[in-house]
Amino acid sequence: MKKWMRIFTRGTLIVVVLIAAIGGYLYSFHGYHGETGADLDLDEDHVVNSLDGDVDGDGIGNLQDSDANGNEISNQKEIVMKAESLAGTLYDPLKGAFSNIGGRMGFIVCTDVPRIAYADAGLYFQQILTIDYRQNPDHYDTENGVNTPATDYFFRRVRNVYDFAKGNGFLIEKADQPKVGDVVFYSQYHATLVVGVYPNETYDEVEADPDLIFVKEHHRKKWRPRDVARILPKAR
């Protein structure tokens, strides 16, 4: 009996070590742990970036500013670079469940691709959707109070990004062609981000999807009219 207990204990230890090793590998090499400066205060106005309607303090609101964080790199260029850098990040199969253990390991869901990419340019979905909800709560389906900015993942839900775009004139229904920076809606539960557009009606997109396992950049896809959120302002 003692022999079997020793074997069982040793086997359990090996399994625990393997799980820890695999978890550590995925965390280190397939989790997103980048910084977007969300908790910083770029313009020193005592409002953190993720809640600031004018991140760089130049007097132009983020949604009207083609260089929202004032670093002399266009929003569009920063968004593309950041989105492409997410390739290889593991999709969060738990989708935030179990105290967001997957998210804390750096795994992401589909709407995190545009959320993270836009934040790198100084455009924070948290700030954008929260302010719009306060001003226009009728834009959103609150689902009897379980879908508001006071709840987890409000600004990470595809349907809320869709409703924001629709309520504020940023939604292009059945767009004839995509533009770089467009959030493409495959449904109100799945979205991707356009990072390249070509004259032959093809485009590149970055996508996080459970079927892909890892975030992937698709190249030269044939465009089919879809609803898109076209949020980026034109360059000045």
PDB file of all heavy atoms in Angstrom, residues 104-121:
ATOM      1  N   ARG A 104      -5.791  37.151 -17.053  1.00  0.00           N
ATOM      2  CA  ARG A 104      -4.649  37.521 -16.222  1.00  0.00           C
ATOM      3  C   ARG A 104      -3.363  36.837 -16.673  1.00  0.00           C
ATOM      4  O   ARG A 104      -2.272  37.281 -16.335  1.00  0.00           O
ATOM      5  CB  ARG A 104      -4.943  37.191 -14.755  1.00  0.00           C
ATOM      6  CG  ARG A 104      -5.859  38.231 -14.103  1.00  0.00           C
ATOM      7  CD  ARG A 104      -6.055  37.975 -12.643  1.00  0.00           C
ATOM      8  NE  ARG A 104      -7.041  36.924 -12.425  1.00  0.00           N
ATOM      9  CZ  ARG A 104      -7.289  36.381 -11.243  1.00  0.00           C
ATOM     10  NH1 ARG A 104      -6.591  36.755 -10.194  1.00  0.00           N
ATOM     11  NH2 ARG A 104      -8.222  35.447 -11.119  1.00  0.00           N
ATOM     12  N   MET A 105      -3.518  35.787 -17.452  1.00  0.00           N
ATOM     13  CA  MET A 105      -2.343  35.147 -18.036  1.00  0.00           C
ATOM     14  C   MET A 105      -1.977  35.781 -19.378  1.00  0.00           C
ATOM     15  O   MET A 105      -1.011  35.387 -20.020  1.00  0.00           O
ATOM     16  CB  MET A 105      -2.593  33.656 -18.213  1.00  0.00           C
ATOM     17  CG  MET A 105      -2.659  32.895 -16.904  1.00  0.00           C
ATOM     18  SD  MET A 105      -2.754  31.106 -17.142  1.00  0.00           S
ATOM     19  CE  MET A 105      -1.111  30.744 -17.792  1.00  0.00           C
ATOM     20  N   GLY A 106      -2.790  36.756 -19.797  1.00  0.00           N
ATOM     21  CA  GLY A 106      -2.483  37.472 -21.031  1.00  0.00           C
ATOM     22  C   GLY A 106      -3.174  36.919 -22.255  1.00  0.00           C
ATOM     23  O   GLY A 106      -2.864  37.316 -23.381  1.00  0.00           O
ATOM     24  N   PHE A 107      -4.130  36.005 -22.073  1.00  0.00           N
ATOM     25  CA  PHE A 107      -4.868  35.463 -23.203  1.00  0.00           C
ATOM     26  C   PHE A 107      -6.017  36.412 -23.541  1.00  0.00           C
ATOM     27  O   PHE A 107      -6.562  37.083 -22.662  1.00  0.00           O
ATOM     28  CB  PHE A 107      -5.399  34.064 -22.886  1.00  0.00           C
ATOM     29  CG  PHE A 107      -4.342  33.130 -22.357  1.00  0.00           C
ATOM     30  CD1 PHE A 107      -4.678  32.101 -21.491  1.00  0.00           C
ATOM     31  CD2 PHE A 107      -3.009  33.289 -22.707  1.00  0.00           C
ATOM     32  CE1 PHE A 107      -3.707  31.243 -20.993  1.00  0.00           C
ATOM     33  CE2 PHE A 107      -2.023  32.436 -22.216  1.00  0.00           C
ATOM     34  CZ  PHE A 107      -2.380  31.409 -21.347  1.00  0.00           C
ATOM     35  N   ILE A 108      -6.404  36.469 -24.813  1.00  0.00           N
ATOM     36  CA  ILE A 108      -7.351  37.499 -25.233  1.00  0.00           C
ATOM     37  C   ILE A 108      -8.520  36.922 -26.023  1.00  0.00           C
ATOM     38  O   ILE A 108      -8.454  35.808 -26.522  1.00  0.00           O
ATOM     39  CB  ILE A 108      -6.650  38.597 -26.061  1.00  0.00           C
ATOM     40  CG1 ILE A 108      -6.097  38.043 -27.375  1.00  0.00           C
ATOM     41  CG2 ILE A 108      -5.543  39.247 -25.251  1.00  0.00           C
ATOM     42  CD1 ILE A 108      -5.428  39.096 -28.244  1.00  0.00           C
ATOM     43  N   VAL A 109      -9.589  37.726 -26.122  1.00  0.00           N
ATOM     44  CA  VAL A 109     -10.757  37.375 -26.931  1.00  0.00           C
ATOM     45  C   VAL A 109     -10.778  38.294 -28.152  1.00  0.00           C
ATOM     46  O   VAL A 109      -9.955  39.200 -28.273  1.00  0.00           O
ATOM     47  CB  VAL A 109     -12.060  37.503 -26.115  1.00  0.00           C
ATOM     48  CG1 VAL A 109     -12.070  36.489 -24.990  1.00  0.00           C
ATOM     49  CG2 VAL A 109     -12.231  38.917 -25.562  1.00  0.00           C
ATOM     50  N   CYS A 110     -11.729  38.073 -29.054  1.00  0.00           N
ATOM     51  CA  CYS A 110     -11.682  38.748 -30.359  1.00  0.00           C
ATOM     52  C   CYS A 110     -11.661  40.265 -30.250  1.00  0.00           C
ATOM     53  O   CYS A 110     -10.879  40.942 -30.933  1.00  0.00           O
ATOM     54  CB  CYS A 110     -12.830  38.281 -31.246  1.00  0.00           C
ATOM     55  SG  CYS A 110     -14.479  38.834 -30.757  1.00  0.00           S
ATOM     56  N   THR A 111     -12.507  40.824 -29.392  1.00  0.00           N
ATOM     57  CA  THR A 111     -12.587  42.280 -29.334  1.00  0.00           C
ATOM     58  C   THR A 111     -11.368  42.909 -28.671  1.00  0.00           C
ATOM     59  O   THR A 111     -11.169  44.127 -28.765  1.00  0.00           O
ATOM     60  CB  THR A 111     -13.874  42.701 -28.596  1.00  0.00           C
ATOM     61  OG1 THR A 111     -14.104  44.083 -28.800  1.00  0.00           O
ATOM     62  CG2 THR A 111     -13.762  42.432 -27.109  1.00  0.00           C
ATOM     63  N   ASP A 112     -10.523  42.083 -28.028  1.00  0.00           N
ATOM     64  CA  ASP A 112      -9.295  42.613 -27.446  1.00  0.00           C
ATOM     65  C   ASP A 112      -8.308  43.062 -28.513  1.00  0.00           C
ATOM     66  O   ASP A 112      -7.447  43.904 -28.249  1.00  0.00           O
ATOM     67  CB  ASP A 112      -8.625  41.565 -26.545  1.00  0.00           C
ATOM     68  CG  ASP A 112      -9.343  41.386 -25.224  1.00  0.00           C
ATOM     69  OD1 ASP A 112      -9.932  42.369 -24.742  1.00  0.00           O
ATOM     70  OD2 ASP A 112      -9.305  40.276 -24.667  1.00  0.00           O
ATOM     71  N   VAL A 113      -8.396  42.496 -29.705  1.00  0.00           N
ATOM     72  CA  VAL A 113      -7.472  42.913 -30.765  1.00  0.00           C
ATOM     73  C   VAL A 113      -7.640  44.398 -31.078  1.00  0.00           C
ATOM     74  O   VAL A 113      -6.685  45.175 -30.958  1.00  0.00           O
ATOM     75  CB  VAL A 113      -7.637  42.046 -32.031  1.00  0.00           C
ATOM     76  CG1 VAL A 113      -6.815  42.636 -33.182  1.00  0.00           C
ATOM     77  CG2 VAL A 113      -7.203  40.610 -31.754  1.00  0.00           C
ATOM     78  N   PRO A 114      -8.847  44.869 -31.467  1.00  0.00           N
ATOM     79  CA  PRO A 114      -8.982  46.321 -31.668  1.00  0.00           C
ATOM     80  C   PRO A 114      -8.846  47.111 -30.372  1.00  0.00           C
ATOM     81  O   PRO A 114      -8.310  48.221 -30.385  1.00  0.00           O
ATOM     82  CB  PRO A 114     -10.386  46.468 -32.267  1.00  0.00           C
ATOM     83  CG  PRO A 114     -11.108  45.217 -31.906  1.00  0.00           C
ATOM     84  CD  PRO A 114     -10.069  44.140 -31.866  1.00  0.00           C
ATOM     85  N   ARG A 115      -9.300  46.562 -29.258  1.00  0.00           N
ATOM     86  CA  ARG A 115      -9.208  47.295 -27.985  1.00  0.00           C
ATOM     87  C   ARG A 115      -7.757  47.610 -27.635  1.00  0.00           C
ATOM     88  O   ARG A 115      -7.419  48.756 -27.318  1.00  0.00           O
ATOM     89  CB  ARG A 115      -9.844  46.468 -26.857  1.00  0.00           C
ATOM     90  CG  ARG A 115      -9.795  47.149 -25.494  1.00  0.00           C
ATOM     91  CD  ARG A 115     -10.339  46.252 -24.407  1.00  0.00           C
ATOM     92  NE  ARG A 115      -9.488  45.106 -24.152  1.00  0.00           N
ATOM     93  CZ  ARG A 115      -8.416  45.125 -23.371  1.00  0.00           C
ATOM     94  NH1 ARG A 115      -8.035  46.250 -22.774  1.00  0.00           N
ATOM     95  NH2 ARG A 115      -7.698  44.035 -23.175  1.00  0.00           N
ATOM     96  N   ILE A 116      -6.891  46.620 -27.705  1.00  0.00           N
ATOM     97  CA  ILE A 116      -5.482  46.812 -27.371  1.00  0.00           C
ATOM     98  C   ILE A 116      -4.797  47.690 -28.403  1.00  0.00           C
ATOM     99  O   ILE A 116      -4.011  48.582 -28.070  1.00  0.00           O
ATOM    100  CB  ILE A 116      -4.774  45.452 -27.251  1.00  0.00           C
ATOM    101  CG1 ILE A 116      -5.302  44.689 -26.033  1.00  0.00           C
ATOM    102  CG2 ILE A 116      -3.267  45.627 -27.146  1.00  0.00           C
ATOM    103  CD1 ILE A 116      -4.835  43.241 -25.962  1.00  0.00           C
ATOM    104  N   ALA A 117      -5.089  47.441 -29.687  1.00  0.00           N
ATOM    105  CA  ALA A 117      -4.449  48.211 -30.753  1.00  0.00           C
ATOM    106  C   ALA A 117      -4.835  49.686 -30.687  1.00  0.00           C
ATOM    107  O   ALA A 117      -3.982  50.574 -30.816  1.00  0.00           O
ATOM    108  CB  ALA A 117      -4.820  47.625 -32.115  1.00  0.00           C
ATOM    109  N   TYR A 118      -6.114  49.959 -30.474  1.00  0.00           N
ATOM    110  CA  TYR A 118      -6.569  51.344 -30.374  1.00  0.00           C
ATOM    111  C   TYR A 118      -5.984  52.027 -29.144  1.00  0.00           C
ATOM    112  O   TYR A 118      -5.602  53.201 -29.187  1.00  0.00           O
ATOM    113  CB  TYR A 118      -8.097  51.390 -30.329  1.00  0.00           C
ATOM    114  CG  TYR A 118      -8.763  51.512 -31.685  1.00  0.00           C
ATOM    115  CD1 TYR A 118      -8.663  50.492 -32.627  1.00  0.00           C
ATOM    116  CD2 TYR A 118      -9.481  52.651 -32.035  1.00  0.00           C
ATOM    117  CE1 TYR A 118      -9.261  50.591 -33.870  1.00  0.00           C
ATOM    118  CE2 TYR A 118     -10.088  52.771 -33.276  1.00  0.00           C
ATOM    119  CZ  TYR A 118      -9.974  51.741 -34.190  1.00  0.00           C
ATOM    120  OH  TYR A 118     -10.562  51.864 -35.423  1.00  0.00           O
ATOM    121  N   ALA A 119      -5.904  51.295 -28.033  1.00  0.00           N
ATOM    122  CA  ALA A 119      -5.365  51.882 -26.804  1.00  0.00           C
ATOM    123  C   ALA A 119      -3.918  52.302 -26.988  1.00  0.00           C
ATOM    124  O   ALA A 119      -3.467  53.302 -26.408  1.00  0.00           O
ATOM    125  CB  ALA A 119      -5.482  50.891 -25.654  1.00  0.00           C
ATOM    126  N   ASP A 120      -3.174  51.571 -27.800  1.00  0.00           N
ATOM    127  CA  ASP A 120      -1.772  51.923 -28.033  1.00  0.00           C
ATOM    128  C   ASP A 120      -1.637  53.284 -28.698  1.00  0.00           C
ATOM    129  O   ASP A 120      -0.616  53.953 -28.567  1.00  0.00           O
ATOM    130  CB  ASP A 120      -1.106  50.850 -28.899  1.00  0.00           C
ATOM    131  CG  ASP A 120       0.405  50.874 -28.782  1.00  0.00           C
ATOM    132  OD1 ASP A 120       0.918  50.747 -27.659  1.00  0.00           O
ATOM    133  OD2 ASP A 120       1.082  51.022 -29.823  1.00  0.00           O
ATOM    134  N   ALA A 121      -2.692  53.687 -29.414  1.00  0.00           N
ATOM    135  CA  ALA A 121      -2.688  54.998 -30.073  1.00  0.00           C
ATOM    136  C   ALA A 121      -3.332  56.074 -29.210  1.00  0.00           C
ATOM    137  O   ALA A 121      -3.396  57.238 -29.610  1.00  0.00           O
ATOM    138  CB  ALA A 121      -3.415  54.903 -31.419  1.00  0.00           C
TER     139      ALA A 121
END
